[in-house]
Amino acid sequence: EAGVTQFPSHSVIEKGQTVTLRCDPISGHDNLYWYRRVMGKEIKFLLHFVKESKQDESGMPNNRFLAERTGGTYSTLKVQPAELEDSGVYFCASSVGTGFGYTFGSGTRLTVV
Amino acid sequence: KNEVEQSPQNLTAQEGEFITINCSYSVGISALHWLQQHPGGGIVSLFMLSSGKKKHGRLIATINIQEKHSSLHITASHPRDSAVYICAVRGGSNYKLTFGKGTLLTVNP
């Protein structure tokens, strides 16, 4: 079984540019989560999809962040325009159901310069 | 104060030593996760606990729901165990994880 795949693994962009992160969950996992670790801080929840619907986006920092999961398969997280404080590692995770274990992706390290 | 506190923040051990990492939380939970992250690597789920104790190889995780405390033990530690170990709790909403800051473990040969 393929794991959770994230792309790209690293991204370096200039302030003001746009970046799109992608997450491919495990096939059949309806639940998809985005998390973020900013330097020196703990990992924090961003949002949760069930299939293509956003169940909870309370962790999204501001309206510069847009997440989508068209068709309930892969998800994208777009940051536009990127700011310096957006730098960090963005993790995606998926699960069969909300009461089940998570499988995490390897993360995307975003650096905004 | 974070809802999930881990101790110690950093831990250095010699190969073969018994390791204990602690996690305390302040909220009601439905499950607690122990996760591992090697340098530059992704996050791997080690255990998901809601009560009692679980064992996998040299790793043992325990949880005391009444005391809101969990421990991760590593027996006969090895340099390949060097990683960040992260405690995360799932609250009553049953899907969102709240993370501790992690414990950086270094096992020297």
Side-chain angles (χ1 to χ4, degrees), chain A residues 33 35 37 40-45 48 55-56 58 91 98-102 104-106, chain B residues 2 33 35 37 40-45 48 84 86 90 94-101:
Chain A
Y33 314 82
Y35 289 89
R37 184 201 283 270
K41 300 275 184 79
E42 65 274 14
I43 299 169
K44 295 237 168 144
F45 169 82
H48 169 217
Q55 290 295 111
D56 182 352
S58 61
F91 292 100
T98 54
F100 293 80
Y102 287 65
F104 283 85
S106 296
Chain B
N2 198 25
H33 296 251
L35 309 164
Q37 186 180 19
I43 295 174
V44 174
S45 180
M48 183 174 73
V84 176
I86 304 166
R90 179 184 288 167
N94 215 31
Y95 59 85
K96 188 187 300 185
L97 292 181
T98 302
F99 291 77
K101 289 189 175 181

Short mmCIF file of all heavy atoms in Angstrom, two decimals, chain A residues 33 35 37 40-45 48 55-56 58 91 98-102 104-106, chain B residues 2 33 35 37 40-45 48 84 86 90 94-101:
data_model
loop_
_atom_site.label_atom_id
_atom_site.label_comp_id
_atom_site.label_asym_id
_atom_site.label_seq_id
_atom_site.Cartn_x
_atom_site.Cartn_y
_atom_site.Cartn_z
N TYR A 33 -5.94 15.55 6.54
CA TYR A 33 -5.63 16.64 7.48
C TYR A 33 -4.37 17.35 7.01
O TYR A 33 -3.44 16.72 6.53
CB TYR A 33 -5.36 16.08 8.88
CG TYR A 33 -6.36 15.05 9.36
CD1 TYR A 33 -6.23 13.72 8.99
CD2 TYR A 33 -7.41 15.41 10.21
CE1 TYR A 33 -7.14 12.76 9.43
CE2 TYR A 33 -8.32 14.45 10.65
CZ TYR A 33 -8.17 13.14 10.26
OH TYR A 33 -9.07 12.19 10.70
N TYR A 35 -1.39 19.84 8.63
CA TYR A 35 -0.77 20.37 9.85
C TYR A 35 0.46 21.17 9.44
O TYR A 35 1.00 20.99 8.35
CB TYR A 35 -0.34 19.23 10.79
CG TYR A 35 -1.46 18.50 11.47
CD1 TYR A 35 -2.06 17.40 10.86
CD2 TYR A 35 -1.92 18.91 12.72
CE1 TYR A 35 -3.09 16.73 11.49
CE2 TYR A 35 -2.95 18.24 13.35
CZ TYR A 35 -3.53 17.15 12.73
OH TYR A 35 -4.56 16.48 13.36
N ARG A 37 4.31 22.87 11.08
CA ARG A 37 5.24 23.19 12.16
C ARG A 37 6.05 24.40 11.74
O ARG A 37 6.79 24.35 10.76
CB ARG A 37 6.20 22.03 12.47
CG ARG A 37 7.09 22.36 13.68
CD ARG A 37 8.34 21.52 13.71
NE ARG A 37 8.13 20.16 14.15
CZ ARG A 37 8.22 19.77 15.42
NH1 ARG A 37 8.46 20.63 16.37
NH2 ARG A 37 8.05 18.50 15.73
N GLY A 40 10.60 26.13 15.77
CA GLY A 40 10.63 26.30 17.22
C GLY A 40 9.31 26.08 17.91
O GLY A 40 9.24 26.14 19.14
N LYS A 41 8.27 25.84 17.14
CA LYS A 41 6.96 25.66 17.77
C LYS A 41 6.47 24.23 17.56
O LYS A 41 7.04 23.46 16.79
CB LYS A 41 5.94 26.62 17.13
CG LYS A 41 6.31 28.10 17.26
CD LYS A 41 5.84 28.64 18.55
CE LYS A 41 6.09 30.12 18.69
NZ LYS A 41 5.11 30.95 17.99
N GLU A 42 5.40 23.89 18.25
CA GLU A 42 4.83 22.56 18.05
C GLU A 42 4.01 22.51 16.76
O GLU A 42 3.62 23.54 16.21
CB GLU A 42 3.95 22.17 19.25
CG GLU A 42 2.70 23.01 19.45
CD GLU A 42 2.96 24.27 20.26
OE1 GLU A 42 4.15 24.65 20.46
OE2 GLU A 42 1.99 24.90 20.65
N ILE A 43 3.75 21.32 16.29
CA ILE A 43 2.93 21.12 15.10
C ILE A 43 1.50 21.55 15.42
O ILE A 43 0.97 21.22 16.48
CB ILE A 43 2.95 19.64 14.67
CG1 ILE A 43 4.39 19.21 14.34
CG2 ILE A 43 2.05 19.41 13.46
CD1 ILE A 43 4.56 17.71 14.16
N LYS A 44 0.92 22.28 14.48
CA LYS A 44 -0.45 22.78 14.72
C LYS A 44 -1.38 22.37 13.58
O LYS A 44 -0.99 22.32 12.42
CB LYS A 44 -0.44 24.29 14.85
CG LYS A 44 0.31 24.81 16.06
CD LYS A 44 -0.57 25.65 16.93
CE LYS A 44 0.10 25.91 18.25
NZ LYS A 44 -0.17 27.25 18.77
N PHE A 45 -2.60 22.13 13.94
CA PHE A 45 -3.65 21.74 13.01
C PHE A 45 -4.00 22.91 12.11
O PHE A 45 -4.10 24.05 12.58
CB PHE A 45 -4.87 21.32 13.82
CG PHE A 45 -6.14 21.12 13.04
CD1 PHE A 45 -6.39 19.94 12.36
CD2 PHE A 45 -7.10 22.13 13.00
CE1 PHE A 45 -7.57 19.75 11.66
CE2 PHE A 45 -8.28 21.95 12.30
CZ PHE A 45 -8.52 20.76 11.63
N HIS A 48 -9.19 20.02 8.14
CA HIS A 48 -9.61 18.64 8.02
C HIS A 48 -10.66 18.51 6.91
O HIS A 48 -11.64 19.24 6.90
CB HIS A 48 -10.20 18.17 9.37
CG HIS A 48 -10.90 16.86 9.35
ND1 HIS A 48 -12.03 16.62 10.09
CD2 HIS A 48 -10.64 15.69 8.69
CE1 HIS A 48 -12.43 15.37 9.91
NE2 HIS A 48 -11.60 14.79 9.07
N GLN A 55 -14.35 19.92 6.81
CA GLN A 55 -15.06 19.73 8.07
C GLN A 55 -14.67 20.77 9.11
O GLN A 55 -15.48 21.16 9.94
CB GLN A 55 -14.76 18.33 8.63
CG GLN A 55 -15.37 17.19 7.85
CD GLN A 55 -16.90 17.23 7.91
OE1 GLN A 55 -17.56 17.50 6.93
NE2 GLN A 55 -17.46 16.99 9.08
N ASP A 56 -13.41 21.16 9.06
CA ASP A 56 -12.92 22.09 10.06
C ASP A 56 -11.71 22.81 9.47
O ASP A 56 -10.72 22.15 9.14
CB ASP A 56 -12.53 21.33 11.34
CG ASP A 56 -12.03 22.24 12.46
OD1 ASP A 56 -11.84 23.45 12.23
OD2 ASP A 56 -11.83 21.72 13.57
N SER A 58 -10.56 25.64 11.11
CA SER A 58 -10.32 26.61 12.17
C SER A 58 -8.85 26.93 12.38
O SER A 58 -8.52 27.95 12.97
CB SER A 58 -10.92 26.11 13.48
OG SER A 58 -10.31 24.88 13.87
N PHE A 91 2.70 19.33 6.96
CA PHE A 91 2.44 17.89 6.96
C PHE A 91 1.01 17.61 6.55
O PHE A 91 0.09 18.33 6.93
CB PHE A 91 2.67 17.29 8.35
CG PHE A 91 4.08 17.28 8.79
CD1 PHE A 91 4.56 18.24 9.67
CD2 PHE A 91 4.96 16.30 8.35
CE1 PHE A 91 5.88 18.24 10.10
CE2 PHE A 91 6.27 16.29 8.77
CZ PHE A 91 6.73 17.26 9.64
N THR A 98 -12.39 9.02 11.56
CA THR A 98 -11.85 9.97 12.53
C THR A 98 -11.39 9.28 13.81
O THR A 98 -10.59 9.83 14.54
CB THR A 98 -12.89 11.04 12.89
OG1 THR A 98 -14.09 10.39 13.33
CG2 THR A 98 -13.19 11.92 11.70
N GLY A 99 -11.83 8.10 14.10
CA GLY A 99 -11.40 7.43 15.32
C GLY A 99 -10.25 6.47 15.08
O GLY A 99 -9.89 5.70 15.97
N PHE A 100 -9.65 6.51 13.92
CA PHE A 100 -8.60 5.59 13.56
C PHE A 100 -7.24 6.28 13.56
O PHE A 100 -7.14 7.49 13.70
CB PHE A 100 -8.88 4.98 12.17
CG PHE A 100 -10.07 4.08 12.14
CD1 PHE A 100 -11.35 4.62 12.06
CD2 PHE A 100 -9.94 2.72 12.20
CE1 PHE A 100 -12.47 3.81 12.04
CE2 PHE A 100 -11.05 1.89 12.17
CZ PHE A 100 -12.30 2.43 12.10
N GLY A 101 -6.19 5.46 13.43
CA GLY A 101 -4.85 6.00 13.40
C GLY A 101 -4.58 6.80 12.15
O GLY A 101 -5.25 6.66 11.14
N TYR A 102 -3.59 7.67 12.26
CA TYR A 102 -3.19 8.52 11.15
C TYR A 102 -2.00 7.91 10.43
O TYR A 102 -1.17 7.25 11.02
CB TYR A 102 -2.70 9.86 11.68
CG TYR A 102 -3.73 10.82 12.21
CD1 TYR A 102 -4.49 10.53 13.32
CD2 TYR A 102 -3.91 12.05 11.59
CE1 TYR A 102 -5.41 11.43 13.80
CE2 TYR A 102 -4.81 12.96 12.08
CZ TYR A 102 -5.57 12.65 13.19
OH TYR A 102 -6.47 13.56 13.66
N PHE A 104 1.00 9.72 8.25
CA PHE A 104 1.52 11.04 7.87
C PHE A 104 2.38 10.96 6.62
O PHE A 104 3.02 9.94 6.34
CB PHE A 104 2.40 11.60 8.99
CG PHE A 104 1.64 12.16 10.16
CD1 PHE A 104 1.20 11.32 11.17
CD2 PHE A 104 1.35 13.51 10.24
CE1 PHE A 104 0.49 11.84 12.25
CE2 PHE A 104 0.64 14.04 11.31
CZ PHE A 104 0.22 13.19 12.31
N GLY A 105 2.39 12.04 5.90
CA GLY A 105 3.33 12.20 4.80
C GLY A 105 4.67 12.69 5.31
O GLY A 105 4.84 12.96 6.50
N SER A 106 5.63 12.81 4.40
CA SER A 106 6.99 13.23 4.77
C SER A 106 7.11 14.73 4.96
O SER A 106 8.12 15.20 5.45
CB SER A 106 7.99 12.78 3.71
OG SER A 106 8.03 11.37 3.63
N ASN B 2 1.19 25.16 26.89
CA ASN B 2 0.67 24.25 25.90
C ASN B 2 -0.20 23.20 26.57
O ASN B 2 0.02 22.81 27.71
CB ASN B 2 1.84 23.59 25.17
CG ASN B 2 1.40 22.98 23.86
OD1 ASN B 2 0.42 23.37 23.27
ND2 ASN B 2 2.14 21.98 23.43
N HIS B 33 -1.34 9.72 20.87
CA HIS B 33 -0.44 9.17 19.86
C HIS B 33 1.01 9.46 20.24
O HIS B 33 1.33 10.55 20.74
CB HIS B 33 -0.69 9.83 18.50
CG HIS B 33 -2.04 9.57 17.92
ND1 HIS B 33 -2.26 8.76 16.83
CD2 HIS B 33 -3.27 10.02 18.29
CE1 HIS B 33 -3.55 8.73 16.54
NE2 HIS B 33 -4.18 9.49 17.41
N LEU B 35 4.56 9.62 18.20
CA LEU B 35 5.05 9.73 16.84
C LEU B 35 6.56 9.87 16.85
O LEU B 35 7.15 10.32 17.85
CB LEU B 35 4.42 10.96 16.16
CG LEU B 35 2.90 11.08 16.25
CD1 LEU B 35 2.45 12.49 15.91
CD2 LEU B 35 2.23 10.08 15.34
N GLN B 37 9.96 11.20 14.45
CA GLN B 37 10.44 11.91 13.26
C GLN B 37 11.95 11.89 13.24
O GLN B 37 12.59 12.50 14.11
CB GLN B 37 9.92 13.34 13.22
CG GLN B 37 10.27 14.07 11.93
CD GLN B 37 9.76 15.48 11.88
OE1 GLN B 37 9.44 16.08 12.90
NE2 GLN B 37 9.69 16.04 10.68
N GLY B 40 15.08 15.30 9.02
CA GLY B 40 14.78 15.43 7.59
C GLY B 40 13.73 14.46 7.09
O GLY B 40 13.42 14.45 5.89
N GLY B 41 13.19 13.67 7.98
CA GLY B 41 12.23 12.66 7.55
C GLY B 41 10.80 13.02 7.90
O GLY B 41 10.53 14.04 8.52
N GLY B 42 9.91 12.14 7.48
CA GLY B 42 8.50 12.33 7.78
C GLY B 42 8.16 11.82 9.18
O GLY B 42 9.01 11.37 9.93
N ILE B 43 6.90 11.93 9.50
CA ILE B 43 6.41 11.51 10.81
C ILE B 43 5.88 10.09 10.70
O ILE B 43 5.09 9.77 9.79
CB ILE B 43 5.31 12.45 11.30
CG1 ILE B 43 5.89 13.85 11.53
CG2 ILE B 43 4.68 11.94 12.57
CD1 ILE B 43 4.84 14.89 11.88
N VAL B 44 6.30 9.26 11.64
CA VAL B 44 5.84 7.87 11.67
C VAL B 44 5.05 7.67 12.95
O VAL B 44 5.49 8.06 14.03
CB VAL B 44 7.05 6.90 11.63
CG1 VAL B 44 6.58 5.47 11.82
CG2 VAL B 44 7.80 7.06 10.33
N SER B 45 3.90 7.05 12.82
CA SER B 45 3.08 6.78 13.99
C SER B 45 3.59 5.52 14.68
O SER B 45 3.74 4.47 14.06
CB SER B 45 1.62 6.59 13.56
OG SER B 45 0.81 6.33 14.67
N MET B 48 -0.97 4.34 19.11
CA MET B 48 -2.17 5.08 19.45
C MET B 48 -2.77 4.38 20.66
O MET B 48 -3.01 3.17 20.63
CB MET B 48 -3.18 5.09 18.30
CG MET B 48 -4.42 5.91 18.60
SD MET B 48 -5.54 6.07 17.21
CE MET B 48 -6.23 4.43 17.13
N VAL B 84 13.27 12.70 16.86
CA VAL B 84 12.36 13.49 17.70
C VAL B 84 11.12 12.63 17.96
O VAL B 84 10.55 12.07 17.02
CB VAL B 84 11.96 14.80 17.01
CG1 VAL B 84 10.92 15.55 17.85
CG2 VAL B 84 13.19 15.68 16.78
N ILE B 86 7.34 12.61 19.46
CA ILE B 86 6.28 13.60 19.64
C ILE B 86 5.05 12.93 20.22
O ILE B 86 4.62 11.87 19.75
CB ILE B 86 5.91 14.25 18.29
CG1 ILE B 86 7.15 14.86 17.62
CG2 ILE B 86 4.84 15.31 18.47
CD1 ILE B 86 6.94 15.23 16.15
N ARG B 90 -5.69 13.42 20.89
CA ARG B 90 -6.91 13.64 20.12
C ARG B 90 -8.02 13.91 21.12
O ARG B 90 -8.27 13.11 22.00
CB ARG B 90 -7.22 12.41 19.28
CG ARG B 90 -8.48 12.52 18.44
CD ARG B 90 -8.74 11.22 17.73
NE ARG B 90 -7.80 10.98 16.65
CZ ARG B 90 -7.68 9.80 16.06
NH1 ARG B 90 -8.43 8.78 16.43
NH2 ARG B 90 -6.82 9.62 15.08
N ASN B 94 -12.48 14.13 18.39
CA ASN B 94 -12.10 12.86 17.81
C ASN B 94 -11.40 12.92 16.45
O ASN B 94 -11.34 11.93 15.76
CB ASN B 94 -13.31 11.93 17.70
CG ASN B 94 -12.92 10.49 17.94
OD1 ASN B 94 -12.00 10.22 18.68
ND2 ASN B 94 -13.60 9.58 17.29
N TYR B 95 -10.93 14.08 16.04
CA TYR B 95 -10.16 14.05 14.81
C TYR B 95 -8.94 14.95 14.85
O TYR B 95 -7.94 14.67 14.24
CB TYR B 95 -11.01 14.43 13.60
CG TYR B 95 -11.64 15.80 13.69
CD1 TYR B 95 -10.94 16.93 13.31
CD2 TYR B 95 -12.92 15.97 14.16
CE1 TYR B 95 -11.49 18.19 13.41
CE2 TYR B 95 -13.48 17.23 14.25
CZ TYR B 95 -12.77 18.33 13.88
OH TYR B 95 -13.33 19.58 13.97
N LYS B 96 -9.00 16.03 15.59
CA LYS B 96 -7.92 17.01 15.57
C LYS B 96 -6.86 16.64 16.60
O LYS B 96 -7.18 16.36 17.75
CB LYS B 96 -8.50 18.39 15.91
CG LYS B 96 -7.57 19.54 15.74
CD LYS B 96 -8.20 20.81 16.27
CE LYS B 96 -9.50 21.17 15.57
NZ LYS B 96 -10.03 22.47 16.04
N LEU B 97 -5.61 16.61 16.18
CA LEU B 97 -4.51 16.32 17.09
C LEU B 97 -3.92 17.61 17.64
O LEU B 97 -3.74 18.58 16.91
CB LEU B 97 -3.41 15.54 16.39
CG LEU B 97 -3.72 14.10 15.96
CD1 LEU B 97 -2.49 13.48 15.31
CD2 LEU B 97 -4.16 13.26 17.14
N THR B 98 -3.61 17.59 18.95
CA THR B 98 -2.85 18.66 19.59
C THR B 98 -1.51 18.07 19.98
O THR B 98 -1.45 17.04 20.65
CB THR B 98 -3.58 19.19 20.83
OG1 THR B 98 -4.86 19.67 20.45
CG2 THR B 98 -2.79 20.33 21.47
N PHE B 99 -0.45 18.74 19.55
CA PHE B 99 0.90 18.17 19.65
C PHE B 99 1.70 18.78 20.79
O PHE B 99 1.55 19.97 21.11
CB PHE B 99 1.68 18.43 18.36
CG PHE B 99 1.19 17.65 17.18
CD1 PHE B 99 0.05 18.06 16.51
CD2 PHE B 99 1.87 16.54 16.72
CE1 PHE B 99 -0.41 17.35 15.40
CE2 PHE B 99 1.42 15.85 15.61
CZ PHE B 99 0.28 16.25 14.95
N GLY B 100 2.59 17.98 21.36
CA GLY B 100 3.64 18.51 22.19
C GLY B 100 4.77 19.01 21.31
O GLY B 100 4.75 18.81 20.09
N LYS B 101 5.75 19.64 21.93
CA LYS B 101 6.86 20.21 21.16
C LYS B 101 7.88 19.16 20.72
O LYS B 101 8.71 19.43 19.87
CB LYS B 101 7.56 21.31 21.95
CG LYS B 101 6.72 22.56 22.08
CD LYS B 101 7.51 23.71 22.68
CE LYS B 101 6.67 24.97 22.67
NZ LYS B 101 7.40 26.13 23.21
#
